[in-house]
Amino acid sequence: MTHPLGGFSRPTARWLRIVFGVIGLVSLALGYLGFERLLQARPEAIHDSWDALYYDLQLFVLSAEPFQEPGPYPWQLQVARFTAPLFTLLAVVETGRLLLAAEIRRLRARRARGHVLVCGDSQFAHMLADRLFADGERVVVLRSEPFGPLEYRQRRYLGVIGDPTSAEVLRGAGVPRAHTIYACTDNDDRNHAVANTVNRLIQDRRQPPRVYVQVHDPEMCLSLQARRLGAAGSSRLRLDYFHVDDIAARALHRRHPLRRPAPDRPAKVLIAGNGTFRRALLVETARHWRTRRAGTRTGEPVPPLHVDLVAPDATAELTLAVSRYPFLATVCRLSAYDLDLDGLAALPQLAAGGYDRIYLCAPDERTGLQFVLDTPALWRGADSVVFVPVYRQAALAAAFHGDSRHDLLDEVHGKLRLYPVLTRACDARLIAEDLTERLAQQIHDRYLHAQRRAGVRSGDAPAMVDWSRLPESLRRANRAHVQDIAAKLLNLGCVVAPRHGGSGDASAAGQAIDDRIDELARLEHERWCRERQGEGWTYGEPRDDTRRRHPALRPWHELAPQVQEHNREEIRTLPDVLSDSGFELIRLTPAVPTQRRGSADGV
């Protein structure tokens, strides 16, 4: 975090500059008055007012000819002969600081510790760095293009200029001591190169940083997440790949949750267009609705969410989406209409109204926005809001959605909302909810569901709480369970891949799990025991979380049958856990027995 003057806040630095300016003006005025009085007292030393002005200016360069003669001097001159050089000295220091600003920032960045490093010249990188700085993080930005002096003054964070794939440049940006690194250039290959270089630089760190790599193709992002999940056990680096659409779609429902439907009708959503945002929007909308259904306390069943997809390829898109995310068909009632945007206005369902929300995901956001502005049928068809995702028009979104005193444009009674995707994706908390975190949370949610079915009530054990209230030690246990998936897959002779709807490979993987269920459950229990013992837990009955004693910390053959079955169930649910995130297990070879390196919440 860089301020205009090291050690001072920006308002303090501004006031210091004002004080220095006042000192300079006062010195100039007092010096002139002093020399005028000296002219009257000693006309042989100073001949006229021009000499007084000339000697006054000489005070600022540490000398003036009249001082070669002995005094006394007027008091104004005595003050000015000291304050004027002081002003000059301060001016020299400030000039040197401005000239050496880039070098000073480079040195401070190299010595930074516990900071966030953002690599890239892209718009998303700039926005993310600004957001992190606003959230109170210490930010270092690594760019290829030089910073301008006004940009430094405005942003006030540390900057390093150079190639983000260079090991020396990354060292200069303080990579060995950073806690989080974002690779956000416009080029995917450069982002991967940043991750590779970081991995080499932090091999000796006890707690390696988190590294988040932006991928611009959503399909490639999912494929790389699958490959990383299969290799998580071979690298200590906490690495994840992300796409801005996925982050922004999660942020949308946190900011604008779907309201509960009226008792006499189901909730209905319309998604129109074939823009890239629609797949992420469909999946996250279904997850959001599933969470709402699971969280209802009335006991009354919540009907499925009705989702209508309108696009030239709507049928094909829904087929692909359901094959990749099977839970969509259980949470939503999906309908496809193979129409373009021009046919949307004539859709009978739109004319009938009743949509709780409409999303328009046009491939060209200008065309989509123009269509929404010129189609009142969309405003009448939505009971609440028509959302238009935009990437390049965040300023226009702000013009629509200021506050009541600063709105520049009419929101059509609140029914029109431009959703700035890049702005909403710049949320470090959502980016941190990476694949490991989401799978760990899902494993915990399944654990809660199984325990409640068995009669265990919420709060009866430290693990019987929602993820947000779960102790950090148990969260780490769930993450370790996810990171051990790579070792489990090696034992099974399987790999993770994005789902494509085939059943043969999934059946083979499921059979591989069934064939090795007892061995895998035993190995998972042994891994869990090593993890617990590493945190100071010992065997003891009954369970005592204060003294860290647990009755399940014993060899596999000494466990109660229900405890063994709990471990088996954790292994059996692995395909379902992966399926929810769009992955499946593919069996490549017969199972390969391996020496394990070492359940999430405990039993």
Side-chain angles (χ1 to χ4, degrees), residues 4-222:
L5 289 178
F8 295 101
S9 65
R10 191 172 185 179
T12 302
R14 185 182 299 114
W15 279 108
L16 284 176
R17 289 196 182 96
I18 292 174
V19 171
F20 296 157
V22 170
I23 290 175
L25 293 175
V26 170
S27 300
L28 186 66
L30 290 179
Y32 184 79
L33 291 175
F35 281 117
E36 283 286 348
R37 292 197 174 186
L38 190 63
L39 171 62
Q40 297 172 4
R42 298 165 55 184
E44 71 281 0
I46 301 178
H47 302 92
D48 54 29
S49 297
W50 291 106
D51 281 351
L53 179 60
Y54 177 75
Y55 293 144
D56 187 18
L57 294 176
Q58 280 188 331
L59 291 176
F60 290 89
V61 293
L62 309 181
S63 67
E65 292 182 16
F67 289 112
Q68 303 299 322
E69 300 295 333
Y73 304 106
W75 70 266
Q76 295 93 338
L77 197 55
Q78 293 283 26
V79 173
R81 67 188 295 193
F82 291 102
T83 57
L86 175 62
F87 174 81
T88 301
L89 179 62
L90 294 174
V92 170
V93 171
E94 179 67 7
T95 302
R97 190 192 65 82
L98 292 175
L99 292 175
L100 299 176
E103 184 65 18
I104 293 172
R105 285 180 169 86
R106 187 186 68 80
L107 293 175
R108 293 183 63 189
R110 191 177 188 90
R111 298 176 58 188
R113 183 178 300 274
H115 60 285
V116 175
L117 174 61
V118 180
C119 303
D121 298 84
S122 66
Q123 179 186 1
F124 180 77
H126 296 172
M127 297 170 66
L128 178 60
D130 289 344
R131 176 71 177 273
L132 289 166
F133 181 82
D135 289 342
E137 289 282 359
R138 183 179 177 87
V139 181
V140 176
V141 177
L142 174 53
R143 287 171 44 170
S144 301
E145 296 294 329
F147 288 83
L150 293 180
E151 190 174 15
Y152 266 136
R153 184 184 297 274
Q154 177 185 5
R155 287 192 163 89
R156 295 182 293 142
Y157 42 59
L158 297 173
V160 176
I161 309 302
D163 180 4
T165 66
S166 166
E168 187 58 36
V169 173
L170 285 171
R171 284 195 191 95
V175 160
R177 294 173 297 277
H179 69 75
T180 307
I181 299 166
Y182 299 91
C184 306
T185 74
D186 285 324
N187 184 287
D188 284 353
D189 194 57
R190 289 175 68 82
N191 291 339
H192 301 322
V194 171
N196 293 338
T197 307
V198 169
N199 187 42
R200 293 194 298 269
L201 291 176
I202 53 88
Q203 288 297 324
D204 298 332
R205 276 193 58 173
R206 181 171 300 178
Q207 293 184 341
R210 292 188 177 193
V211 179
Y212 299 108
V213 177
Q214 183 182 7
V215 180
H216 295 84
D217 182 348
E219 292 296 318
M220 177 61 73
C221 183
L222 194 67

Side-chain angles (χ1 to χ4, degrees), residues 339-362:
L339 301 170
D340 56 18
L341 289 183
D342 292 334
L344 173 62
L347 189 69
Q349 288 83 349
L350 183 64
Y355 283 111
D356 293 274
R357 190 171 291 178
I358 295 176
Y359 301 97
L360 192 77
C361 306

Side-chain angles (χ1 to χ4, degrees), residues 399-412:
F400 270 101
H401 316 303
D403 56 44
S404 58
R405 296 177 298 170
H406 296 96
D407 278 343
L408 300 180
L409 298 170
D410 173 35
E411 298 177 348
V412 194

